[in-house]
């Protein structure tokens, strides 16, 4: 069976054709411009490919309530032109097949649990640290939703004693995303994250924030695996720093060997690498 997969991002849309085994057979990347221009190219890619179902993991916030009049749309985003655009409605106009829809990070969490670093587990967290910070959660075999969907990238964190940067989240200022996303690192230090590799203080501060968030997520959700992806996590030196600080913050209270003895295999990079989002979208289509 040919399955369509879309990782819809604020910078680019990645489209793919895959199969039941999680393999991507063909893919194409389209820059995210206006909704009409972008969707025109997406539709052209899938036309004539004989796809029987489709899965879409999208940037957000998105409307995931099947009872809602605006189900399938991007709700309110600072990204020009995209607020209130009904992404799923538009796709359905062209393809009369089942189309599954969830956040990009929920899709990635699902993909990782079926084919990646959390394979075989009924619970994991997928955290992306990139232009923004987003978190997807699989709990007791289900992707977590509620009133809308969780927005765990925007939690409040304790400020690093030496950090004077005000934070850049347009909604909250110094929430986690405001202090620890790629653009926050760049604004605080005056250079792109990738140019700050040798500056230990940058990564110590970054780990300080991410570790607090992860410790909180562990306390609230008790995930069986914590997966960290996104552009900033290309800085592999962050992993040992984060693991150490998570263990310290939890203070031995969460009494499980994964945390007390096996933290190296508990907080890990994505098993699917950069494909987590696209393969996850494939997973959404199969789960539908
Ligand atoms: P997006 O979040 O837009 O999908 P990415 O996950 O690639 O895209 O995140 C982009 C952010 O990650 C940018 O702020 C960029 O500075 C940062 N970034 C990308 N590559 C690296 C790297 N190798 N090291 C550190 N930061 C990086
Ligand atoms: Zn915020």
């Amino acid at each position: 069976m040919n399955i369509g997969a879309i990782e819809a991002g604020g910078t680019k849309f990645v489209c793919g054709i895959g199969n039941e085994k999680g393999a991507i057979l063909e893919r194409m990347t389209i820059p995210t411009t206006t909704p009409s221009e972008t969707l025109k190219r997406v539709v052209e890619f899938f036309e004539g490919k004989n796809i029987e179902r489709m899965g879409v993991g999208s940037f957000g916030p998105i409307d995931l309530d099947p009872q809602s009049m605006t189900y399938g749309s991007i709700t309110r985003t600072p990204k020009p032109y995209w607020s209130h655009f009904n992404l799923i409605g538009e796709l359905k106009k062209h393809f009369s097949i089942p189309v599954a829809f969830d956040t990009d990070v929920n899709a990635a969490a699902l993909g990782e649990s079926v084919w990646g670093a959390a394979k075989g587990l009924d619970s994991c967290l997928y955290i992306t640290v990139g232009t923004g910070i987003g978190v997807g959660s699989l709990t007791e075999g289900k992707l977590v939703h509620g009133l809308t969907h969780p927005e765990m990238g925007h939690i409040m964190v304790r400020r690093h004693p030496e950090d004077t940067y005000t934070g850049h989240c347009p909604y909250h200022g110094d929430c986690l995303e405001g202090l620890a996303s790629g653009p926050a690192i760049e604004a605080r230090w005056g250079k792109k994250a990738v140019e700050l590799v040798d500056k230990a203080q940058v990564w110590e501060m970054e780990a300080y924030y991410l570790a607090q968030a992860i410790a909180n997520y562990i306390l609230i959700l008790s995930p069986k695996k914590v997966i960290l992806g996104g552009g900033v996590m290309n800085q592999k030196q962050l992993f040992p720093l984060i693991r150490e600080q998570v263990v310290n913050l939890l203070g031995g209270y969460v009494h499980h060997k994964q945390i007390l003895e096996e933290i190296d295999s508990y907080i890990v990079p994505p098993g699917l690498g950069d494909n987590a989002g696209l393969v996850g979208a494939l997973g959404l289509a199969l789960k539908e």
Side-chain angles (χ1 to χ4, degrees), residues 153-156 169-178:
H154 292 265
I155 63 169
M156 302 306 145
C169 175
Y171 298 95
H172 320 110
D174 61 356
C175 67
L176 177 69
E177 178 173 301

Side-chain angles (χ1 to χ4, degrees), residues 11-12 128-132 182-183 186 192-194 203 230-232 234-235:
T11 317
K12 60 185 194 295
T128 179
V129 188
T131 307
E186 187 175 339
K192 283 204 176 304
V194 71
W203 309 109
V232 173
N234 284 315
Q235 299 299 322

Side-chain angles (χ1 to χ4, degrees), residues 108-170:
L110 176 65
E112 287 291 329
S113 77
V114 181
W115 296 293
K119 194 168 171 175
L121 299 179
D122 65 352
S123 148
C124 72
L125 274 191
Y126 182 92
I127 306 171
T128 179
V129 188
T131 307
I133 297 183
V135 187
S137 174
L138 183 86
T139 299
E140 297 186 68
K142 286 199 171 128
L143 293 170
V144 176
H145 306 113
L147 279 177
T148 61
H149 47 80
E151 287 285 9
M152 291 189 258
H154 292 265
I155 63 169
M156 302 306 145
V157 285
R158 197 185 284 166
R159 192 172 262 281
H160 191 285
E162 280 153 35
D163 190 8
T164 53
Y165 176 56
T166 48
H168 85 124
C169 175

Side-chain angles (χ1 to χ4, degrees), residues 181-194:
S181 61
I185 298 173
E186 187 175 339
R188 177 187 295 111
W189 303 100
K191 273 187 190 172
K192 283 204 176 304
V194 71

